[in-house]
Amino acid sequence: MTTQQDLAFPRPLTFVDVVIFCVQESQLKVLLIKRKPSDKLPNQPQWGLVGGFVDIDKDENLEATALRKLKEKTNVTSPYLEQLGSWGSRTRDPRGWSVTNVYFALISPEFASPLQHGGNAEDAQWVTIEGSGVKYALAFDHHEILETAITRLRNKVEYTSLPAYLMPNTFTMAELQKSYEVVLGRSLEKSAFRTRVLSTDLLEPIDDFKLGSNRPAQLYKIKNRANAVFFQRTFKPV
Amino acid sequence: MTTQQDLAFPRPLTFVDVVIFCVQESQLKVLLIKRKPSDKLPNQPQWGLVGGFVDIDKDENLEATALRKLKEKTNVTSPYLEQLGSWGSRTRDPRGWSVTNVYFALISPEFASPLQHGGNAEDAQWVTIEGSGVKYALAFDHHEILETAITRLRNKVEYTSLPAYLMPNTFTMAELQKSYEVVLGRSLEKSAFRTRVLSTDLLEPIDDFKLGSNRPAQLYKIKNRANAVFFQRTFKPV
DNA sequence: CAAATAGTGTCTTTAAGACATTATCTT
DNA sequence: AAGATAATGTCTTAAAGACACTATTTG
């Protein structure tokens, strides 16, 4: 494993891709990039995930590459970021044996700076998730990766506080519940939701209310953005 | 992302490592390799995970590399195999920027052919897990990887049928429960365990019993080795 | 029969589901 | 007061925990 022969092994191409989710207008969306057609990749669909090569001079580790890519596209610097896995094969990219290390990020669209359109050679866009994918064909194996990310997200939302990372700084209980419902694609029971969320150490009520033409709603913030909370059961037994 | 410049980017070294678990003598064990000291890696601990370079000629994809490595060391060809994630950084391997794509495998020791000792330049050994690691110092970041694997395994065992993959072809309910208990490091309540396991589609009783100086125990086999079963709750709410 | 482990039954506890009821604001 | 949504309460249900009890073998 450590001979000169080994180090001379041909090395696969190494990428990092980031599946960036947000909830906007009651829809789960993913940030996709539309690239200009290229000589090297003539037959690839133009839409794809945010990503690129690891820059071994700039990037200390894989997560740094993911954060760099996220910052470039959204200007968000401290998202919820979790590794999804890696995909590597001889055929996934026509340029040769390649591996992509995939992260998924949850952000509040309020924190993302307006996405640049045109100008660049790239066009970034929030695209609505429909079922287990999007309406566009995606380059490489990005559709499979996106599907895995959606599945992972939906699974974890059943028993964690992940949707809290999709929220702005302060929000009401009903707004948080709505985020859960958007991701899960089904409605949840109000009082059970409330009891469960409040029984954990996730939220802190702040000294403010959201007003409207009805009873004011308590506003909350996340107690500790660094730690997701795990519940002991899923929301709905099958 | 597709220019000649990009393809010329320096490429990290690409490895695959496999954390292979089994339960033997009521202990959770991991397969480790002891390598001969090397000129290239003079200061590394000699014990490490099973792994090696991706061979882009032999291996179709990352999972193929993992299976090849597993086969080389255990002769097992159809384990439970799940990707754990990838670790990549400038410093994790002194030979340069590197990425390892890590899988974890669960096997029954009955299926593994006797491990070769000496003979080769390597010495493979089942090492008992104590707490969140092993008693040996491990090379590179393998201790961190092992710890992540143990955590993932213990977490999933709370709500899946994974320990079934640690069993031989047929086994009793008590033996399966013992596997759960060994992995989790705590005892479970017999009747709740039974009810939960039998309420899923996991097991099939066979027409045979395990005899002893007591009431014979029904033997079971796994109905469908391809699909792990997910429970709706963890075993013990905190 | 004693010993041992397999397997079942009962009662309690925990948290979710369904759904009704009360609370508090605006217009 | 009407309308709206927030927040709470009550009763039911699902499944786990604790633990006692019965079943079936060997020696």
Side-chain angles (χ1 to χ4, degrees), chain B residues 152-163:
Chain B
R152 165 90 66 98
L153 177 61
R154 292 207 174 119
N155 282 342
K156 290 194 84 163
V157 164
E158 292 280 359
Y159 62 94
T160 68
S161 63
L162 286 200

Side-chain angles (χ1 to χ4, degrees), chain A residues 136-153:
Chain A
Y136 303 125
L138 299 183
F140 314 119
D141 49 5
H142 286 190
H143 185 81
E144 180 191 327
I145 292 172
L146 175 60
E147 192 172 340
T148 305
I150 295 169
T151 301
R152 165 91 66 99
L153 177 61

Side-chain angles (χ1 to χ4, degrees), chain A residues 16-18 20 31-33 35 49-55 58-59 63-79 81 105 107 111-118 120-126, chain B residues 1 6 9:
Chain A
V16 169
D17 287 300
V18 192
I20 309 171
L31 189 59
L32 295 180
I33 303 290
R35 296 191 210 78
L49 297 170
V50 171
F53 284 92
V54 170
D55 185 325
K58 274 195 225 166
D59 303 327
E63 188 171 311
T65 312
L67 286 169
R68 179 167 61 80
K69 287 290 159 190
L70 183 84
K71 172 112 198 298
E72 283 173 17
K73 303 302 172 197
T74 67
N75 209 37
V76 169
T77 54
S78 61
L81 193 68
I107 68 174
F111 298 155
S113 44
L115 298 168
Q116 66 280 19
H117 284 254
N120 207 328
E122 294 177 340
D123 186 8
Q125 203 171 294
W126 288 111
Chain B
M1 172 165 173
D6 288 333
F9 257 45

Side-chain angles (χ1 to χ4, degrees), chain A residues 154-175:
Chain A
R154 292 206 174 119
N155 282 342
K156 289 195 83 163
V157 164
E158 293 279 359
Y159 62 96
T160 69
S161 63
L162 286 199
Y165 296 101
L166 297 164
M167 307 303 292
N169 277 324
T170 68
F171 48 87
T172 67
M173 189 62 70
E175 287 164 352

Side-chain angles (χ1 to χ4, degrees), chain B residues 174 190-191 194 213-218:
Chain B
K190 187 167 61 160
S191 105
R194 222 189 148 68
S213 63
N214 48 30
R215 176 171 171 176
Q218 177 68 55

Side-chain angles (χ1 to χ4, degrees), chain A residues 75-235:
Chain A
N75 209 37
V76 169
T77 54
S78 61
Y80 176 83
L81 193 68
E82 167 179 332
Q83 204 193 53
L84 185 64
S86 58
W87 276 255
S89 79
R90 186 183 288 141
T91 54
R92 60 176 295 278
D93 187 310
R95 290 165 292 185
W97 227 108
S98 73
V99 180
T100 183
N101 302 275
V102 183
Y103 287 78
F104 84 85
L106 305 180
I107 68 174
S108 166
E110 282 83 350
F111 298 155
S113 44
L115 298 168
Q116 66 280 19
H117 284 254
N120 207 328
E122 294 177 340
D123 186 8
Q125 203 171 294
W126 288 111
V127 179
T128 301
I129 303 291
E130 296 164 79
S132 59
V134 290
K135 63 186 170 188
Y136 303 125
L138 299 183
F140 314 119
D141 49 5
H142 286 190
H143 185 81
E144 180 191 327
I145 292 172
L146 175 60
E147 192 172 340
T148 305
I150 295 169
T151 301
R152 165 91 66 99
L153 177 61
R154 292 206 174 119
N155 282 342
K156 289 195 83 163
V157 164
E158 293 279 359
Y159 62 96
T160 69
S161 63
L162 286 199
Y165 296 101
L166 297 164
M167 307 303 292
N169 277 324
T170 68
F171 48 87
T172 67
M173 189 62 70
E175 287 164 352
L176 179 61
Q177 182 174 344
K178 185 69 189 173
S179 269
Y180 272 85
E181 293 174 339
V182 165
V183 175
L184 291 173
R186 69 170 195 270
S187 59
L188 297 174
E189 206 282 321
K190 187 165 62 159
S191 103
F193 181 83
R194 223 189 148 69
T195 311
R196 172 195 278 222
V197 167
L198 291 179
S199 76
T200 68
D201 208 33
L202 177 64
L203 299 183
E204 193 168 10
I206 63 170
D207 198 18
D208 200 7
F209 291 80
K210 186 191 180 193
L211 308 177
S213 62
N214 48 28
R215 177 170 171 179
Q218 177 70 55
L219 283 165
Y220 296 89
K221 64 171 187 172
I222 300 182
K223 247 186 188 168
N224 181 357
R225 277 192 80 85
N227 290 87
V229 167
F230 287 73
F231 307 119
Q232 289 302 311
R233 299 192 192 174
T234 60
F235 271 100

